Amino acid sequence: MYSHKQSVNILTALLVGHGVRHAVVCPGSRNAPIVHNLNECPDVRCYPVTDERSAGFYALGMMQALNEPVCVCVTSGTALLNLAPAVAEAWYQHQPLIVVSADRPEAWIDQLDGQTLPQPRALGRFVRRAVSLPESDSWYCSRLVNEALLDALNDDPRPVHINVPITEPLFDFDVPQLTEVQRIVRSSPARDYDCLSPEFVDGLVAAHRPMIVFGQTNPHDFEGIDVDYLFSHVIVLHEALSNFPSVSHFDEVLYLEEREERREERILPPDFIIHVGDTVVSKRLRRFLRQATDAQTWRISQSGDVEDTFQHLRGIIVGDPESVLQSLSHKISTRRLASMDYRRQWLTALTAAARRASDYQPAYSQMAAVKYFEEHFTEGIVHYANSSAVRLANIYAPHHVWCNRGVNGIEGSLSTAAGYSCVTDEKVFCVIGDLSFFYDQNALWNQNLRQNLRILLLNNGRGGIFNLLPGLEQSPARDSYVAASHHTTAEGICHQCNVDYLSAEDTEQLHQGIDTLLHSESSRPVLLEVFTDAVRDGQALSLLLSTC
């Protein structure tokens, strides 16, 4: 029987899954659940050593002899500090020492309770990664253990530290078998991408509902990929932040799936997911893919970092995503992947959503402004600010757009576009909401501004995204305090900063202003401020979705 503690069982299962077969264990009560599990597990042999200083070096000698990782487990408090000499030596010998320390609950650290000190960073730079496991979140716990063990066992092995806070009671051993936990695998970086992981390739070939999801990418990425070939074999979903010459209207499709739960023919989640690129804007897509708990999910990235956006990562292919996908396409060139029914479902739904978005003529609103802008945009670089602006881009922008989506902050969108305009002769457009603009207005208080900067300012007097969050309308604090409603205009800022100022308050002025913004020549930057009503902006989007 194993420990009642979920985090301890997850740790034990993943130690075994990543090939740890030997453990040096030191005495103590707080680490007793971990030692019990290691002793109970038939795949692990335990070696008791009382002195922690000696225990660390015992483990080092075992690694030298076995050429494989060894775990050393200690109790809470100064026991961990006694491992420092052995850990430092293991670091410089490139040995994958797995340090496991039991700990008291975080609330009791520095509260004059016994055997308590800040343990998670106690070994400093002599471990490649230090993690502290949550007791109740199984996904987060398993992800942290996977991250630590992958870092210990990569091509340049190094020590890692896994800290395990354990609340009382400590000695309940009533779990008959270890939890089944997903071990994340990571391929070694390879120049020959024909040597792809067989598990990755075979999993894709065996899948009935494979899907590739492209997050934010550089506009120069994937230029060599045969897009039509990809689309003919798997379902490909992408956003305006990806480098594809089209709009993928999956968000509207997923809105319909969520709204009509009892439809007879629902689109099932994929059974094999390849995630390429970085962040994905759509919450609906993330929610949809997180429900695909039985799917194999693979991440292709240069860094090899564990980025488990969809919460059931199976493996990581380390390498240039374009080269990996090209190699993959050669391997599957004679196979038909996605089932015909699954492809038909998705393509029918995406085509219908694209037609509705094209045919839909929103009333005067921010949506109408972005739709007209994108329909008449011909050349240049486009930056979108976060929140409502980039979500409108995902409906109407059939080209790559830049967006500070790495951490999705309100600050800096205008400054980023202005900085871009300083080093190119192309026109640089920034589509931005009012809160983002006024927060970053000092981007215009700058002697570096050039005439190629064009700004489409969508001003509805508040953070428009807050009108779209269900339930927030019940709070009397929404408008003034959460959405930061205001009556500010950019006109004075433009005059002060030598920027040509235009404004629009109806459809005719909007079209004239955007035409000027797109096509006119000017000796200084140009800004068009589009004044709209926040309620009508929300209604325009709701009407589009309601036609789905």
Side-chain angles (χ1 to χ4, degrees):
M1 302 291 277
Y2 292 92
S3 170
H4 187 72
K5 300 297 183 181
Q6 181 184 55
S7 60
V8 174
N9 290 338
I10 289 172
L11 170 63
T12 309
L14 286 175
L15 285 171
V16 172
H18 283 273
V20 176
R21 298 291 179 262
H22 300 269
V24 178
V25 297
C26 300
S29 59
R30 190 63 50 164
N31 67 330
I34 306 172
V35 173
H36 170 86
N37 267 23
L38 293 172
N39 182 62
E40 195 77 1
C41 184
D43 297 305
V44 178
R45 182 175 178 182
C46 292
Y47 302 82
V49 177
T50 300
D51 187 320
E52 288 91 1
R53 293 170 301 173
S54 181
F57 286 102
Y58 260 78
L60 179 61
M62 291 178 183
M63 288 186 293
Q64 292 170 346
L66 297 168
N67 195 31
E68 63 184 50
V70 173
C71 167
V72 57
C73 176
V74 299
T75 196
S76 58
T78 54
L80 174 64
L81 302 182
N82 288 320
L83 290 177
V87 173
E89 184 62 28
W91 175 272
Y92 287 111
Q93 286 195 31
H94 302 266
Q95 296 287 354
L97 178 62
I98 314 299
V99 175
V100 175
S101 61
D103 198 358
R104 304 299 173 108
E106 184 180 6
W108 287 105
I109 306 302
D110 292 333
Q111 297 305 303
L112 307 181
D113 200 47
Q115 292 189 337
T116 58
L117 56 85
Q119 293 184 193
R121 293 173 295 280
L123 297 174
R125 56 151 291 185
F126 295 114
V127 291
R128 174 170 279 142
R129 184 179 292 269
V131 300
S132 193
L133 304 186
E135 288 201 79
S136 58
D137 188 332
S138 60
W139 168 75
Y140 187 32
C141 180
S142 62
R143 196 197 84 197
L144 289 175
V145 177
N146 271 300
E147 286 178 352
L149 295 178
L150 285 171
D151 276 2
L153 301 171
N154 71 13
D155 287 353
D156 176 23
R158 301 281 182 158
V160 296
H161 175 203
I162 301 173
N163 190 58
V164 190
I166 306 176
T167 56
E168 297 180 4
L170 302 176
F171 311 126
D172 289 342
F173 308 120
D174 57 1
V175 175
Q177 59 186 19
L178 290 176
T179 312
E180 182 127 357
V181 186
Q182 180 66 66
R183 177 177 72 95
I184 297 173
V185 299
R186 179 163 57 194
S187 72
S188 298
R191 294 178 182 174
D192 182 6
Y193 292 108
D194 288 332
C195 301
L196 291 175
S197 162
E199 184 179 1
F200 173 56
V201 177
D202 294 345
L204 175 61
V205 170
H208 296 288
R209 304 188 301 277
M211 175 180 289
I212 300 180
V213 177
F214 285 87
Q216 183 170 27
T217 64
N218 188 290
H220 305 297
D221 293 340
F222 310 114
E223 291 180 338
I225 289 182
D226 186 341
V227 175
D228 292 336
Y229 177 83
L230 273 182
F231 274 79
S232 66
H233 282 73
V234 297
I235 302 302
V236 177
L237 302 184
H238 59 89
E239 296 181 317
L241 281 66
S242 313
N243 187 26
F244 283 88
S246 61
V247 179
S248 178
H249 291 273
F250 65 80
D251 201 65
E252 296 99 296
V253 172
L254 295 179
Y255 173 83
L256 178 63
E257 289 295 309
E258 291 182 348
R259 189 183 68 177
E260 300 186 8
E261 293 183 355
R262 298 182 181 178
R263 283 195 311 139
E264 291 184 6
E265 189 177 7
R266 296 184 55 77
I267 296 179
L268 295 173
D271 59 2
F272 193 95
I273 304 165
I274 300 175
H275 179 200
V276 183
D278 295 320
T279 186
V280 174
V281 174
S282 172
K283 285 185 178 179
R284 287 193 187 95
L285 180 60
R286 294 197 300 271
R287 190 160 54 236
F288 178 70
L289 295 181
R290 286 169 186 169
Q291 295 169 359
T293 53
D294 295 329
Q296 275 201 48
T297 300
W298 289 79
R299 178 100 171 95
I300 304 175
S301 75
Q302 290 275 24
S303 70
D305 291 340
V306 176
E307 295 161 322
D308 191 10
T309 308
F310 308 130
Q311 293 192 305
H312 37 80
L313 186 64
R314 176 68 188 96
I316 306 161
I317 304 297
V318 183
D320 170 51
E322 183 171 342
S323 299
V324 173
L325 289 175
Q326 285 177 331
S327 178
L328 187 64
S329 68
H330 293 316
K331 285 182 173 293
I332 62 175
S333 57
T334 60
R335 316 283 184 97
R336 180 180 296 279
L337 295 182
S339 73
M340 292 301 292
D341 286 344
Y342 195 61
R343 280 183 50 74
R344 176 188 58 78
Q345 272 189 310
W346 265 108
L347 295 179
T348 299
L350 291 171
T351 300
R355 187 181 305 113
R356 285 191 295 268
S358 177
D359 293 344
Y360 177 57
Q361 298 300 323
Y364 178 75
S365 59
Q366 292 186 351
M367 174 174 271
V370 171
K371 186 174 193 290
Y372 188 85
F373 172 83
E374 288 295 347
E375 287 175 343
H376 293 80
F377 171 77
T378 54
E379 58 181 352
I381 305 296
V382 185
H383 286 245
Y384 273 83
N386 275 307
S387 222
S388 297
V390 72
R391 286 173 170 80
L392 292 173
N394 278 335
I395 298 174
Y396 291 117
H399 54 81
H400 178 271
V401 304
W402 290 98
C403 181
N404 289 348
R405 199 68 195 177
V407 288
N408 186 17
I410 189 176
E411 65 285 300
S413 296
L414 183 58
S415 292
T416 303
Y420 196 118
S421 71
C422 289
V423 292
T424 182
D425 290 329
E426 294 187 82
K427 286 181 179 176
V428 177
F429 298 90
C430 181
V431 183
I432 187 168
D434 47 279
L435 293 192
S436 295
F437 175 85
F438 292 117
Y439 193 94
D440 195 23
Q441 62 183 285
N442 279 347
L444 302 183
W445 181 43
N446 195 302
Q447 62 182 343
N448 300 304
L449 291 184
R450 301 177 63 205
Q451 71 279 6
N452 60 336
L453 177 63
R454 306 297 167 95
I455 303 161
L456 178 57
L457 169 55
L458 307 174
N459 188 348
N460 62 10
R462 67 179 63 196
I465 192 69
F466 300 108
N467 274 37
L468 304 177
L469 301 180
L472 187 56
E473 73 281 357
Q474 300 176 51
S475 171
R478 183 190 69 172
D479 293 346
S480 295
Y481 300 111
V482 178
S485 61
H486 63 89
H487 301 285
T488 312
T489 172
E491 184 173 7
I493 297 167
C494 289
H495 291 327
Q496 173 185 317
C497 297
N498 197 31
V499 174
D500 278 345
Y501 176 80
L502 307 169
S503 66
E505 298 190 36
D506 58 38
T507 299
E508 182 179 356
Q509 292 175 355
L510 172 67
H511 292 176
Q512 290 175 351
I514 290 179
D515 291 342
T516 301
L517 199 70
L518 289 169
H519 306 300
S520 70
E521 297 301 323
S522 174
S523 60
R524 52 186 182 169
V526 181
L527 180 146
L528 170 63
E529 186 168 22
V530 179
F531 293 99
T532 61
D533 177 78
V535 173
R536 291 183 183 136
D537 288 335
Q539 290 171 344
L541 178 59
S542 297
L543 283 171
L544 171 63
L545 294 175
S546 67
T547 64
C548 294

